[in-house]
């Protein structure tokens, strides 16, 4: 059974992957309004998920840690 943390990480990964893929699509289709709208919608979904994760479990990315000690305290996001 998945923990709440694992479920949240899975949602974050899915949304972030979709945004990444759509941005790659925009490289070859820069005028696609549909892709831009989908990215904006996904970003609106991603931000609250990320905030919830970071408030509960700490920084998601090393660049967001306020100190190296904060980041190295386990488990790391991929250690689930």
């Amino acid at each position: 059974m998945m923990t709440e943390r694992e479920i949240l990480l899975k949602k974050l990964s899915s949304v972030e992957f979709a945004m990444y893929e759509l941005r790659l699509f925009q490289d070859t289709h820069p005028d696609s309004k549909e892709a831009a709208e989908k990215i904006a919608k996904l970003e609106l979904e991603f931000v609250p998920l990320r905030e919830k994760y970071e408030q509960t479990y700490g920084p998601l990315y090393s660049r967001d840690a306020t100190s190296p000690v904060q980041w190295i305290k386990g488990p790391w996001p991929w250690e689930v």
Side-chain angles (χ1 to χ4, degrees):
M1 188 164 156
M2 292 178 68
T3 65
E4 184 179 335
R5 182 179 187 184
E6 292 170 328
I7 292 167
L8 190 52
L9 275 173
K10 186 167 240 165
K11 287 178 185 176
L12 279 163
S13 285
S14 298
V15 173
E16 193 168 30
F17 177 78
M19 288 189 305
Y20 180 79
E21 287 294 312
L22 282 167
R23 287 186 181 112
L24 288 176
F25 176 81
Q26 278 190 315
D27 287 345
T28 57
H29 301 80
D31 297 328
S32 174
K33 290 181 183 180
E34 184 179 358
E37 290 169 0
K38 286 181 181 181
I39 289 171
K41 182 180 176 185
L42 288 168
E43 286 174 346
L44 289 174
E45 185 178 344
F46 181 78
V47 170
L49 288 171
R50 181 178 174 185
E51 288 173 354
K52 180 179 179 181
Y53 181 90
E54 290 181 340
Q55 288 173 354
T56 308
Y57 304 107
L60 190 60
Y61 305 107
S62 63
R63 67 177 180 256
D64 298 329
T66 54
S67 73
V69 174
Q70 182 186 17
W71 178 248
I72 62 173
K73 288 182 181 178
W76 290 15
W78 56 87
E79 293 180 327
V80 289

